[in-house]
Amino acid sequence: MESSFRKYQCMHCVEPACVASCPVAALHKLPDGPVAYDGYKCIGCRYCMQACPYGVPAYDWSEAYPLIAKCDLCYDRHDGPACASACTPGGVISGTRGELLAIAKQRIADNPGKYYEDRVFGEYEGGGTSVLILTPVAFDKIGLPPLDDTILSDATWPWLKAVPGIVVGVGGLLTGIYNKTKDKPGEDHKEETQS
Amino acid sequence: MNIGNLEIKFPKLSIGTVTLLIIAAVGLYSAFVRYTQGFGAMTNMSDSRPWAFWISFDLLVGVAISAGAFVIAGTTHLFHLKKYEPIVRPALLTGFLGYILVSLGLLVDLGQPQRIWHMMIYRNIHSPLFEVGMCVMIYLTVLLLEFIPAILEKFGLAHQAPWKWIKNLSIPLIISGFVLSTMHQSTLGTLYLIVPHKMHPLWYTPILPIIFFTSALAVGFGMVIFETVLSHHIFGWDLHEDILQGLGKGLRVSLVMLLMLKVGDLIYAGEMGLILEGNLQSKSFILENVAGIILPIIILTLPRLRVDPKWIFRAGLLTVIGLVLHRFNLSMVGLAGDAYFPHWMEIAATAGLFALGLLAFGMVALNVPMHSEH
C-alpha cells in the first residue's frame, strides 16, 4: 500500500472562516497573508475550531483556562516561516501568494498528469488560501475538505447585515400592531379573538 | 422565616426538593472539577468536537425554551389579548431564569469565562456569536426590568416612583424584548451556516435562521403550556382552560409554519430522498419531525383532543422534546467530527444548573406576587 504525507497546518485562508466567526476579533488576517491570533483577547469559545474547514485551531483540553493554538506563518520571524527554512529538499517553500501560484502552475505545465487533477489546492477553495498544496494524491485522501470557491462567511454575513433592518422592521411592525389593537377610549371592551 | 416584617417562604423539604438539591450539588461539584482540573478531566470534547453537549443543550436548547417570555408578553400586551394576563409573570420569570442559566452554562463552557466582557470592547460584527452574546446580555437586562415590578410589589413598593417608571416603560421594554429575541433566536441558526461542509444536508439549509426562529416560537408556546399545567399541580395555581386552548392554537399555527418551512426547504433542495436512506441521520430526522411536529399538530387538530388540557399538555411536551431533538441532531448527530458521547460530568453540570433554576423558580414563585398590579 502506498502512503503519502501532508504537512498539516493552518491554510491562512484569503477569507478565513475563523476570523469571521471570532466574537472578540482575536483572530485577524495580516496584510501579508498570515492569520494571526491575539491570545489576550480570546474568551475560549471555540467557534473558530467549529468554523475552520481544515480543523486547524487546537485547544489545550488539559487546562482549566485554555487558549487556542495555531500556526501564524511565523509572521514575526525575519527569515519567513521556520518550516520552510528547515525543509532542505524544498518540499516547503515560502514567498508571496502570486509567486507561489506561478511556480505551482509552471510545475503543472512542465509535468502534465503528475499532479492530482492538474491543479493547485488552495487557488480557489473557500475563496482561496495563502498556503498552496501541490500533490499527486487525491485531495480527500490526504484529508483536504471538498470545498468549492464559495467564501464560507458569505453564508453568515447577509443575515448579520440584515440586523439593522430587522430591528427597524420588527420594531415598527410591533409598534403598529400595538396601536392598531389598542382599545380606543370610550369604546366597549372588545371580545378578543385569536387564530 | 421573617426578616424584619418581610415574610420569606421556602419550598417544603419534599422528596422533589431534596432530589433537586442533590442534583444541584453534583452539578456544582462538576463545575468545580472543570475550574480546577480542566476540561479533559470532565468532558469528552476534542479538537474535532469543540462544541458539544453544553452548546447543544445549555445554549441552543436553553435559549429556545426560554422563548415563552417574549411570545407571551408580546401576545398579551402588544396584541392586546388580555386573557393571557395570568400567565405573563410566570412566563417572564421562566425566561429570566432561563437566560441566567444559559449565561451560567456559558461561563462553564468558555475557556476564559472571566473575559466574557471582552465582547463589549473587542467587537466583531461579522461574528454571529458576537450578535448572540450581545443580544443575550441586553435581553437579560430587559427581562430583569420586566420582572422588577413583581419584586417591588413584594417589598410593598407598588405604585411608588421606580415601580411607576418601569410600568411606564413596559411597552417599549416588551417591544425591545421581542426584537432582541427575533435577532438572537434566529442568529443561533446563523452560527451553523458557516459549516456547510460539516453538516448533514437534512439539517443544513440557508434558511436555518428562519427555522430556528419559527421553532423558538413553537417551543415558546410549548414551554408555557408545560409550565402552566405543572404550576397548577405543584403550586395549585388556577388552570384556565380557555388560556390553554388558546396556547394550543398558537402552538399549532407555529408548528404548521415550521413543518411547511422544513418540508418546503427539502423539496426545493431536492433532498427529500435523504429522509428514507435508513441511516442514523435519516432515522433521527424522522423521529424529530414525527414526534416533535407532526404528532402535536395531529393532537391539536382533532376536535376532541385539542380542547382537553391533558392532551394540550402532551402536545406541548412533544414540541419541547422535538425542539431538543432538532438542536441535538443539527449540532451533533448531523455534524461531522470525532465520535462523541458526553462525559457524565458534562451532563451533571447542565442538570445541576437546571435543578438550581427550578429551585429558584420555586423560591420566587412562592414569595413574589404572580399577578401584576395595575
Side-chain angles (χ1 to χ4, degrees), chain A residues 17 19-25 39-47 49-53 58-59 61-67 147 152-153 155-157 159-160 163 166-167 170-171 174-175 177-178 181-182 192-195, chain B residues 34-35 37-40 45-47 50-51 77-81 83-84 109-112 114-115 118-119 122 124-131 171 175 178-179 182-183 190-191 193-198 206 209-210 246 335:
Chain A
V19 170
S21 57
C22 180
V24 292
Y40 71 93
K41 291 182 181 170
C42 182
I43 57 172
C45 72
R46 308 186 292 283
Y47 191 23
M49 305 173 69
Q50 191 67 81
C52 176
Y59 210 52
W61 297 101
S62 62
E63 283 285 324
Y65 298 89
L67 290 172
L147 295 172
L152 291 174
S153 54
T156 48
W157 180 234
W159 291 96
L160 298 172
V163 163
I166 292 174
V167 171
V170 176
L174 291 170
T175 313
I177 290 172
Y178 173 74
T181 55
K182 191 157 58 177
E192 50 261 9
T193 49
Q194 203 208 353
S195 62
Chain B
R34 175 257 170 273
Y35 287 121
Q37 297 172 42
F39 289 99
M45 292 192 271
S46 63
D47 281 350
W51 277 10
H77 293 297
L78 300 182
F79 291 76
H80 292 92
L81 300 171
K83 75 169 174 183
Y84 298 101
D109 181 79
L110 288 180
Q112 305 282 343
Q114 76 285 4
R115 293 182 183 167
H118 277 194
M119 275 205 208
Y122 302 119
N124 177 13
I125 57 160
H126 289 262
S127 169
L129 194 58
F130 168 73
E131 196 203 314
I171 295 303
I175 292 177
F178 207 112
V179 171
T182 316
M183 286 162 67
T190 315
L191 282 179
L193 286 182
I194 207 154
V195 292
H197 50 286
K198 292 182 187 171
I210 300 175
L335 201 66

